Amino acid sequence: MATVTRENIGLLTDKLTVNVTKEDYYPEFEKSLKKISKTISLPGFRAGKVPMGVVKKMHGQAIFSEEVVNSIEKNLVEYLKKENIDVFGQAIPSEDSNLNGLNMNEPKDYSFSFEIGLRPEFSLPDLKSIKLPSYKIEIGDDMVAEEVERYRLRHGKMDSIEAVGDDYDVLHVQFIPADAPQTEESDEAKNARTLSLLLKYFSDASKKQLNGKKVDDEVEMAFGEVFTGKEKEWIARDLGLGHDEDSKKFKIKIEKLEHVTPAEFNEDFFKAAYPGKTISNEEEFKAAVRAEVEEYWNTQARNHLEHEIYHVLMDETKVDFPEEFLKKWMKMNPNQAKSNPDDPKEFKNFLNGLKWSLIGDKVMAENNFSHTTEELRKEALNQLMGYMGMTQATEEEAWVKDYLDRFMQDEKMVQPLEERLTVKKIFDWATAQIQAVETKVSVEEFSNLIQEHNHQHHH
């Protein structure tokens, strides 16, 4: 009769030795031989009448090895289940365990050893003692006015023009690094970035140089001379520039010129800007824009608070890991093929991901959180509306119900939804636990806080 012995060989790492006797696997070996003999056809023998000696010579060793391994795995799984051992991944065969010694002509008792990594026990921090600022971002009239103008420009009328001369002229320009190869036009194109920009985004100095320019005209300036306003940051990002590259020079070549006339405040504009809302006049439109701007910054503030909570949970939760076991497991796991456990940075990132997963599991278990079918269907519906750019949809519509029914049958589709809902419930729970101190800030102050936060946690 098979037995399993267990010994500790390291931090949260145990060795399990499975001992199987001939009686554990040989009867199954004989059954498998008889079963396969009924399917074999050889010249000179009727189907299913090939002598057992021939069958054994042809397939015996492979079947013998398979049944020994099946017996070992079966007893290992039963032991883990019986002892209720919570492990990471699958057991790893020890280096001293191999199948080379299996011989069907000399059936005997066998011992195979496995390493298992044990999931650690740990406690969550007391979040009730944690104070974190919950930022309330003040939305000024100027921010609303800027967003209103963006909508009017986005839905405005475009007309071709001959020359640059107005803040609402749209310049489709190539930015070609001044130090890029210029022997051939194709070489320049490889290094160029094409952007479409309003003249109003350019600095006063560069406007003077661009004024009167036509298609195919060029000017050469340093980036810091071309842009000085608040749009500078996203333009730099589009050009792939860092914060310290103001002196980088570009040849700016005009490819196309247009003038945009901002949309008027009328029913057509309101429907185009907010197709799902009923807006009758300019004031209602501005109110809709303000609500949208507030929702955006409320979301940013909520995301920042969740980032802070994440770091509290990660920093204040002490978890030990069977690191050597996990490195071996990563090397054997095909899903981790792209990871290098011998790289300290990669392995640390792996452990952080594993730690966050354990924290999430513990929060869900201790609070009896689970996901109902209704919650998952609602999340799937929200995802569908996002994909299709819809603002309203219900299961009362036959095609929507049919889509959700099929969606819920696909485990690969449902799993990401479950993960999203898990994260949401973790943060909802944690936010309710902490002492959130409402703190009013301007957009500029909040943006600086985010930049500082990112700098602290990425360096």
Side-chain angles (χ1 to χ4, degrees):
M1 181 178 176
T3 60
V4 180
T5 58
R6 177 181 179 182
E7 64 175 312
N8 179 256
I9 58 173
L11 176 64
L12 294 170
T13 308
D14 285 0
K15 181 178 181 180
L16 300 181
T17 301
V18 182
N19 307 287
V20 293
T21 65
K22 178 180 175 181
E23 289 72 24
D24 292 312
Y25 63 82
Y26 207 80
E28 293 301 321
F29 167 59
E30 291 181 318
K31 283 182 187 177
S32 296
L33 274 180
K34 289 178 181 178
K35 184 176 180 181
I36 198 171
S37 71
K38 296 177 181 178
T39 64
I40 295 175
S41 295
L42 285 177
F45 299 98
R46 285 183 297 163
K49 297 298 182 180
V50 178
M52 187 57 69
V54 176
V55 175
K56 193 171 183 182
K57 188 174 182 180
M58 292 174 62
H59 301 285
Q61 185 57 49
I63 294 174
F64 181 83
S65 298
E66 183 180 352
E67 291 303 338
V68 172
V69 170
N70 287 344
S71 179
I72 290 166
E73 291 182 345
K74 174 174 170 286
N75 282 283
L76 175 65
V77 170
E78 287 179 353
Y79 178 83
L80 291 171
K81 186 175 181 180
K82 178 184 174 185
E83 297 296 322
N84 196 27
I85 301 175
D86 199 3
V87 300
F88 284 119
Q90 74 273 29
I92 298 175
S94 300
E95 293 178 2
D96 57 356
S97 294
N98 62 72
L99 303 178
N100 295 334
L102 301 181
N103 186 348
M104 69 171 179
N105 297 315
E106 296 180 16
K108 58 183 180 179
D109 298 349
Y110 294 105
S111 293
F112 285 85
S113 298
F114 300 85
E115 289 184 24
I116 56 172
L118 307 177
R119 287 180 177 253
E121 294 183 3
F122 62 95
S123 299
L124 294 170
D126 178 15
L127 295 184
K128 290 187 173 70
S129 64
I130 302 294
K131 284 186 179 181
L132 289 174
S134 175
Y135 292 108
K136 180 68 176 176
I137 300 163
E138 298 173 323
I139 307 301
D141 292 342
D142 57 334
M143 292 174 61
V144 176
E146 285 180 13
E147 193 60 27
V148 168
E149 183 183 46
R150 285 195 187 93
Y151 269 110
R152 294 183 67 198
L153 291 173
R154 197 178 306 150
H155 297 279
K157 181 186 176 186
M158 300 287 280
D159 296 295
S160 295
I161 56 173
E162 291 292 323
V164 178
D166 185 275
D167 269 359
Y168 289 104
D169 291 346
V170 180
L171 284 68
H172 305 273
V173 293
Q174 270 195 338
F175 283 81
I176 306 165
D179 56 359
Q182 298 184 20
T183 53
E184 296 182 21
E185 188 174 339
S186 59
D187 288 329
E188 287 190 351
K190 290 177 186 176
N191 295 281
R193 298 285 182 95
T194 301
L195 298 180
S196 297
L197 304 166
L198 282 171
L199 183 64
K200 66 179 292 188
Y201 293 161
F202 290 77
S203 66
D204 290 340
S206 57
K207 283 180 186 178
K208 289 179 181 177
Q209 288 201 51
L210 290 165
N211 194 38
K213 297 293 183 185
K214 299 180 179 180
V215 172
D216 292 332
D217 285 346
E218 300 175 355
V219 297
E220 185 173 310
M221 285 181 283
F223 177 76
E225 297 172 357
V226 184
F227 304 106
T228 56
K230 52 190 163 186
E231 291 81 13
K232 179 181 176 181
E233 184 176 342
W234 66 260
I235 295 172
R237 189 168 58 247
D238 286 349
L239 292 175
L241 297 180
H243 294 292
D244 57 349
E245 293 193 81
D246 276 6
S247 61
K248 188 173 179 67
K249 289 193 172 183
F250 286 91
K251 182 168 69 173
I252 303 171
K253 182 178 180 180
I254 299 175
E255 292 189 322
K256 184 179 178 182
L257 286 172
E258 295 179 294
H259 180 82
V260 57
T261 303
E264 296 181 5
F265 292 105
N266 56 37
E267 185 178 353
D268 289 340
F269 170 52
F270 300 148
K271 284 184 177 179
Y274 289 104
K277 293 185 178 181
T278 302
I279 297 175
S280 305
N281 53 52
E282 181 178 341
E283 289 308 309
E284 288 180 6
F285 179 80
K286 289 179 178 178
V289 171
R290 176 177 287 278
E292 183 182 6
V293 173
E294 287 177 347
E295 176 58 27
Y296 171 81
W297 286 107
N298 286 341
T299 300
Q300 299 306 305
R302 185 167 62 249
N303 289 344
H304 177 66
L305 178 60
E306 290 180 356
H307 284 154
E308 295 287 5
I309 289 173
Y310 167 82
H311 290 297
V312 168
L313 285 169
M314 290 291 286
D315 295 342
E316 300 298 324
T317 304
K318 306 306 175 187
V319 182
D320 292 320
F321 288 102
E323 295 190 10
E324 292 307 312
F325 169 84
L326 289 171
K327 287 179 180 179
K328 293 179 185 178
W329 176 81
M330 288 176 72
K331 290 176 181 178
M332 292 183 62
N333 190 339
N335 294 328
Q336 298 291 331
K338 294 182 180 179
S339 301
N340 179 13
D342 294 324
D343 181 309
K345 185 176 180 181
E346 281 195 42
F347 188 60
K348 182 181 179 183
N349 289 338
F350 169 78
L351 289 183
N352 282 340
L354 193 55
K355 183 177 182 179
W356 177 246
S357 178
L358 291 178
I359 289 171
D361 290 345
K362 194 171 186 68
V363 171
M364 294 293 286
E366 290 187 351
N367 293 279
N368 295 317
F369 291 152
S370 60
H371 307 315
T372 64
T373 301
E374 289 73 22
E375 286 177 320
L376 289 168
R377 290 180 75 92
K378 183 178 179 181
E379 190 71 14
L381 178 60
N382 291 337
Q383 181 173 285
L384 173 65
M385 290 193 293
Y387 285 159
M388 302 188 68
M390 301 164 62
T391 55
Q392 289 183 333
T394 69
E395 286 198 49
E396 292 176 6
E397 299 174 70
W399 73 271
V400 174
K401 183 178 183 303
D402 180 60
Y403 170 85
L404 294 179
D405 287 343
R406 286 185 284 108
F407 186 100
M408 294 298 293
Q409 297 299 317
D410 189 337
E411 188 176 338
K412 289 182 180 179
M413 300 290 281
V414 173
Q415 185 179 350
L417 293 188
E418 291 179 331
E419 292 172 355
R420 266 208 310 272
L421 281 174
T422 294
V423 170
K424 182 180 184 301
K425 289 182 179 181
I426 290 169
F427 283 121
D428 285 349
W429 166 82
T431 302
Q433 300 295 309
I434 63 163
Q435 300 179 48
V437 182
E438 185 173 305
T439 307
K440 291 185 178 181
V441 292
S442 66
V443 168
E444 184 178 1
E445 288 171 330
F446 181 75
S447 298
N448 290 335
L449 285 165
I450 295 296
Q451 193 171 356
E452 183 180 348
H453 170 86
N454 292 338
H455 179 78
Q456 287 176 348
H457 292 290
H458 292 92
H459 289 81

